[in-house]
Amino acid sequence: MNNNLVLDVNENPRRWYQWLLFAIQHILAMLVACITVPLITGLPVGPTIIAAGIGTLIYIFTTKRKSPVFLSSSFAYLVPMATALGCGVATGGANDNYWAVIIGMAMVGAVYVIIALIVRKTGTGWLNKLLPPVVIGPIIMVIGLSLAGSAINNVVNGTYATSLYPDGNMPWYFGFTSICLALIACALTAFFATSKKKGVTLIPFVLGMVGTYLVAVILTIIGNVADVEAIKIIDFDIFTTNDWGSYKGWITTDFLFVKAIDQTASVDAEVIGQVALAFIPVALVTVCEHIGDHKNLGNIINRDLLEDEPGLTRTLIGDGIATAVSGFACGAANTTYGENVAVIGVSKVASVNVIILAAILTIVMGFFKPFALALETVPKCITGGISLILYGFIAASGVKMLIKERVNFGITKNIIVASVILVTGIGGLIIGFGGNVSSYTIKIGGTAMAMILGILANVLLKNHEGLPEKATDEEPIVIPTTEPLNEEELVERAEVKEINEDEEDSSIETDAKNN
């Protein structure tokens, strides 16, 4: 058993309601990001939620229930998805090419499986050399901090009232209301996470979100009654616009493969070639993110998920198959969610069976449309406030890895490697090929670029300073000053060292006499 966890991977909650609350916590953590992808691309929301649950189950059982990972829709494929939807569509045509998206996601799944088979043949020794802690730690920090912009946008523009002003040209108190609610969500979650009551610390995100949601409901009611637009936090109109008289208003049926049957866009060799160029390079990038997320989770639960059980081969195959199935159902790729990794880190509940229940509930929720609609009413400012903790926790996990592995930042090479990764990733350096600067055909984003440049810097630069790669208790390492010490400072340091040695010798002599 891992003493740092309340529930280890193979353990279960004692009571059914704890199990349920732990599962709901994971659903709430991933929900907004999950439905944002279909909202951006115009693809169906319900099937995307269902595919997240199905994909997670595929992953869990492929990895022999050894890795508590939740999968959901990936933002990395937004550009390839948009490219695929437009392939083979006649000029002025209104029908998107859904088959192109499905084929693209199948290609992504194939890439993952092929890489997994290569890893199975060659082992992961080369991977540990390419991705030592000095590279992985800052990468994990980048994964968390690169999401900070998204969190802050939700904090500032996260209410129904602010959505009425997409250009941002709204009175100041609209944004102020959104920020206040976000800070309430953040404060409640932090309070519950650090509470003395054990039961409360296990579900801080559920309590923080529910508590703030109740505040939002009260404000919305007051806003509607008094006609005060600024405090209309929640949009309940989605219930009035739903077709309750039809079974489609109750059950999700708009799967992508159903839509693809009636499409008019063509699928030929040229379209398949365009799809391959759009999806395969991105798949190579997301494999790197897959590795980083599993390194982070492994660090939190004190297991090597890539080297030991379940192993990188199984995690890649699980993720790849899940993505192919998800593409067929909704068009979105599946990926490991840092939000859910952070939930495990904060709550210290790593039970894989909790993840399984969360996945099953997600599928049910996706099929039962009223339930999905209810969750869609959760204002973005609430999830944004909670994300201040979630995304920050991911970044803090990277710092924790550097400390745990005792990475020696007295070595100039290590400082440079970390610096390049952090600035490249947080700054969002993008390299693109094809198309134009505003819309590349193939794009390598900030996290992937940070990993690539970090690996290159770590491989090409050498440690010529003679310092150990790991800091030790016997030889504490300090970060060197930016300027060399002058003669007076060198003399002063020598005198201090001599005094410390004399005191140590004196202490030893005293102890010897006493004994």
Side-chain angles (χ1 to χ4, degrees):
M1 178 180 175
N2 187 344
N3 292 326
N4 294 323
L5 297 173
V6 174
L7 288 177
D8 210 340
V9 173
N10 56 346
E11 295 178 328
N12 298 323
R14 292 183 178 181
R15 296 177 174 85
W16 67 268
Y17 61 84
Q18 291 178 326
W19 208 324
L20 182 62
L21 288 172
F22 295 158
I24 290 174
Q25 190 162 237
H26 279 283
I27 295 172
L28 294 176
M30 68 86 190
L31 181 67
V32 170
C34 175
I35 66 175
T36 298
V37 171
L39 290 176
I40 292 174
T41 58
L43 294 173
V45 173
T48 304
I49 297 173
I50 294 169
I54 294 174
T56 299
L57 291 179
I58 290 172
Y59 171 91
I60 291 294
F61 289 104
T62 302
T63 55
K64 301 190 296 185
R65 299 167 67 180
K66 299 292 185 182
S67 178
V69 164
F70 199 101
L71 302 181
S72 192
S73 53
S74 171
F75 286 83
Y77 292 90
L78 287 176
V79 173
M81 289 165 69
T83 301
L85 287 170
C87 288
V89 177
T91 304
N95 196 253
D96 291 321
N97 198 335
Y98 300 119
W99 281 119
V101 177
I102 292 172
I103 292 169
M105 291 305 171
M107 290 180 177
V108 173
V111 169
Y112 272 60
V113 172
I114 291 170
I115 294 176
L117 295 176
I118 293 173
V119 169
R120 184 177 183 179
K121 188 75 174 176
T122 61
T124 58
W126 58 273
L127 184 64
N128 294 327
K129 291 181 180 179
L130 283 180
L131 298 171
V134 71
V135 173
I136 286 295
I139 285 294
I140 292 171
M141 295 168 66
V142 164
I143 291 172
L145 295 177
S146 62
L147 296 169
S150 172
I152 297 302
N153 182 60
N154 288 337
V155 166
V156 177
N157 303 298
T159 69
Y160 168 66
T162 58
S163 69
L164 300 176
Y165 298 86
D167 59 354
N169 188 24
M170 58 189 169
W172 67 270
Y173 46 85
F174 280 59
F176 182 76
T177 304
S178 182
I179 293 171
C180 287
L181 272 172
L183 293 180
I184 290 173
C186 181
L188 283 177
T189 303
F191 172 77
F192 291 126
T194 56
S195 172
K196 291 182 179 179
K197 296 182 179 180
K198 193 73 172 179
V200 170
T201 61
L202 300 177
I203 51 170
F205 299 104
V206 171
L207 296 175
M209 187 170 287
V210 170
T212 314
Y213 187 82
L214 292 176
V215 174
V217 169
I218 294 170
L219 289 175
T220 302
I221 292 172
I222 295 173
N224 288 329
V225 172
D227 196 25
V228 180
E229 197 173 52
I231 58 174
K232 294 178 180 178
I233 310 300
I234 302 173
D235 179 16
F236 291 114
D237 289 343
I238 57 176
F239 290 106
T240 59
T241 56
N242 189 49
D243 185 10
W244 297 107
S246 169
Y247 72 91
K248 292 183 179 179
W250 295 88
I251 300 174
T252 296
T253 59
D254 53 339
F255 292 94
L256 197 68
F257 64 87
V258 176
K259 290 176 173 288
I261 294 172
D262 298 324
Q263 77 173 39
T264 59
S266 63
V267 179
D268 52 25
E270 182 180 353
V271 168
I272 292 174
Q274 291 175 327
V275 169
L277 287 174
F279 281 85
I280 292 176
V282 180
L284 298 174
V285 170
T286 54
V287 165
C288 296
E289 295 178 354
H290 173 100
I291 293 169
D293 284 334
H294 281 79
K295 283 275 190 179
N296 184 24
L297 177 59
N299 185 52
I300 291 171
I301 65 176
N302 200 27
R303 294 186 180 211
D304 192 337
L305 300 173
L306 304 182
E307 186 74 29
D308 302 325
E309 285 192 310
L312 182 57
T313 298
R314 284 187 174 274
T315 65
L316 283 172
I317 291 175
D319 202 346
I321 295 175
T323 289
V325 172
S326 178
F328 188 70
C330 69
N334 270 344
T335 188
T336 49
Y337 256 35
E339 292 93 330
N340 297 88
V341 173
V343 166
I344 292 173
V346 174
S347 68
K348 295 179 172 54
V349 176
S351 170
V352 74
N353 287 329
V354 167
I355 302 293
I356 291 174
L357 179 59
I360 293 172
L361 292 177
T362 300
I363 296 170
V364 173
M365 178 188 73
F367 270 112
F368 186 55
K369 205 165 185 180
F371 192 18
L373 291 176
L375 287 176
E376 285 182 46
T377 65
V378 177
K380 290 183 178 179
C381 61
I382 295 180
T383 55
I386 290 175
S387 294
L388 296 179
I389 296 174
L390 283 175
Y391 298 159
F393 185 88
I394 298 170
S397 296
V399 177
K400 183 179 178 182
M401 173 179 281
L402 294 174
I403 295 172
K404 180 181 178 182
E405 298 295 332
R406 304 189 65 82
V407 174
N408 187 352
F409 280 106
I411 300 174
T412 305
K413 168 197 166 183
N414 288 346
I415 293 177
I416 293 173
V417 171
S419 300
V420 168
I421 292 172
L422 290 172
V423 176
T424 301
I426 298 171
L429 176 63
I430 295 173
I431 289 183
F433 306 93
N436 51 58
V437 174
S438 61
S439 179
Y440 293 115
T441 303
I442 300 172
K443 181 172 72 173
I444 303 176
T447 302
M449 281 301 303
M451 181 171 282
I452 292 169
L453 294 180
I455 290 172
L456 290 175
N458 185 62
V459 170
L460 297 177
L461 298 178
K462 303 300 179 185
N463 173 18
H464 296 298
E465 296 166 283
L467 297 174
E469 287 294 331
K470 284 192 174 185
T472 62
D473 293 328
E474 292 76 17
E475 298 179 13
I477 305 299
V478 296
I479 297 176
T481 56
T482 54
E483 296 181 1
L485 300 176
N486 57 39
E487 186 176 348
E488 183 178 337
E489 289 171 325
L490 287 171
V491 171
E492 183 180 351
R493 173 169 291 189
E495 290 174 349
V496 170
K497 184 176 181 181
E498 186 176 347
I499 291 172
N500 289 339
E501 288 176 348
D502 289 343
E503 290 177 349
E504 184 176 347
D505 291 341
S506 176
S507 176
I508 292 172
E509 290 176 4
T510 302
D511 290 341
K513 290 178 179 178
N514 291 335
N515 292 331

Coordinates of all heavy atoms in Angstrom, one line a residue, residues 63-64 66 124 128 302-315:
T63 N -5.0 -1.7 -19.9 CA -3.9 -1.6 -19.0 C -4.1 -2.5 -17.7 O -3.4 -2.2 -16.7 CB -3.7 -0.1 -18.5 OG1 -5.0 0.4 -18.0 CG2 -3.3 0.8 -19.7
K64 N -5.0 -3.4 -17.8 CA -5.2 -4.4 -16.7 C -5.5 -3.8 -15.4 O -5.1 -4.2 -14.4 CB -3.9 -5.3 -16.6 CG -3.6 -6.1 -17.9 CD -2.5 -7.1 -17.6 CE -1.2 -6.5 -17.2 NZ -0.1 -7.6 -17.0
K66 N -4.4 -1.2 -14.0 CA -3.2 -0.8 -13.2 C -3.0 0.7 -13.2 O -2.1 1.2 -12.5 CB -2.0 -1.5 -13.7 CG -2.1 -3.0 -13.7 CD -2.0 -3.5 -12.3 CE -2.0 -5.1 -12.2 NZ -2.0 -5.6 -10.8
T124 N 12.1 0.3 -22.9 CA 11.9 1.7 -22.6 C 13.2 2.3 -22.1 O 13.2 3.5 -21.7 CB 10.8 1.9 -21.5 OG1 11.2 1.1 -20.4 CG2 9.5 1.4 -22.0
N128 N 14.0 6.5 -21.1 CA 14.5 7.0 -19.9 C 15.7 7.9 -20.1 O 15.9 8.9 -19.4 CB 14.8 5.9 -18.9 CG 13.6 5.2 -18.4 OD1 12.5 5.7 -18.3 ND2 13.8 3.9 -18.2
N302 N 3.3 7.2 -6.9 CA 4.6 6.5 -6.6 C 4.7 5.1 -7.3 O 5.0 4.1 -6.7 CB 4.7 6.3 -5.1 CG 6.1 6.0 -4.6 OD1 7.1 6.4 -5.3 ND2 6.2 5.3 -3.5
R303 N 4.4 5.1 -8.6 CA 4.5 3.9 -9.4 C 5.1 4.3 -10.8 O 4.8 5.4 -11.3 CB 3.1 3.2 -9.7 CG 2.5 2.6 -8.4 CD 1.2 1.9 -8.8 NE 0.6 1.3 -7.7 CZ -0.1 0.2 -7.7 NH1 -0.3 -0.5 -8.8 NH2 -0.7 -0.3 -6.6
D304 N 5.9 3.4 -11.4 CA 6.4 3.7 -12.7 C 5.4 3.0 -13.7 O 5.5 1.8 -13.9 CB 7.8 3.1 -12.9 CG 8.5 3.6 -14.1 OD1 7.7 4.0 -15.1 OD2 9.7 3.6 -14.2
L305 N 4.5 3.8 -14.2 CA 3.5 3.2 -15.1 C 4.0 2.9 -16.5 O 3.4 2.1 -17.2 CB 2.3 4.2 -15.2 CG 1.6 4.6 -13.9 CD1 0.6 5.7 -14.2 CD2 0.9 3.4 -13.3
L306 N 5.2 3.4 -16.8 CA 5.7 3.2 -18.2 C 6.7 2.0 -18.2 O 6.8 1.3 -19.2 CB 6.4 4.5 -18.7 CG 5.5 5.7 -18.8 CD1 6.2 6.9 -19.4 CD2 4.2 5.4 -19.6
E307 N 7.5 1.9 -17.1 CA 8.5 0.9 -17.1 C 8.0 -0.4 -16.5 O 8.3 -1.5 -17.0 CB 9.7 1.4 -16.2 CG 10.9 0.4 -16.2 CD 11.7 0.5 -17.5 OE1 11.7 1.5 -18.1 OE2 12.3 -0.6 -17.8
D308 N 7.2 -0.3 -15.4 CA 6.6 -1.5 -14.7 C 5.2 -1.7 -15.3 O 4.9 -1.5 -16.4 CB 6.6 -1.3 -13.2 CG 8.0 -1.0 -12.7 OD1 9.0 -1.6 -13.2 OD2 8.2 -0.2 -11.7
E309 N 4.3 -2.2 -14.4 CA 2.9 -2.4 -14.9 C 2.1 -1.1 -14.9 O 2.3 -0.3 -13.9 CB 2.2 -3.4 -13.9 CG 2.7 -4.8 -14.2 CD 1.8 -5.8 -13.5 OE1 1.6 -5.6 -12.3 OE2 1.3 -6.8 -14.1
P310 N 1.3 -0.8 -15.9 CA 1.0 -1.7 -17.0 C 2.0 -1.6 -18.1 O 2.0 -2.4 -19.0 CB -0.3 -1.1 -17.5 CG -0.3 0.3 -17.2 CD 0.5 0.4 -15.9
G311 N 2.9 -0.6 -18.1 CA 3.9 -0.5 -19.2 C 3.5 0.4 -20.3 O 2.3 0.5 -20.6
L312 N 4.4 1.1 -20.9 CA 4.1 2.0 -22.0 C 3.4 1.4 -23.2 O 2.5 2.0 -23.8 CB 5.4 2.7 -22.5 CG 5.3 3.8 -23.6 CD1 4.3 4.9 -23.2 CD2 6.6 4.3 -24.0
T313 N 3.7 0.1 -23.5 CA 3.1 -0.6 -24.6 C 1.5 -0.6 -24.4 O 0.8 -0.3 -25.3 CB 3.6 -2.0 -24.7 OG1 5.0 -2.0 -25.0 CG2 2.9 -2.8 -25.8
R314 N 1.1 -1.0 -23.2 CA -0.3 -1.1 -22.9 C -1.0 0.2 -22.8 O -2.1 0.4 -23.3 CB -0.6 -1.9 -21.6 CG -0.4 -3.4 -21.8 CD -0.8 -4.2 -20.5 NE -0.7 -5.6 -20.8 CZ -1.7 -6.3 -21.3 NH1 -2.9 -5.7 -21.6 NH2 -1.6 -7.6 -21.4
T315 N -0.3 1.2 -22.2 CA -1.0 2.5 -22.1 C -1.2 3.2 -23.5 O -2.2 3.8 -23.8 CB -0.1 3.5 -21.3 OG1 1.1 3.8 -21.9 CG2 0.1 2.9 -19.9

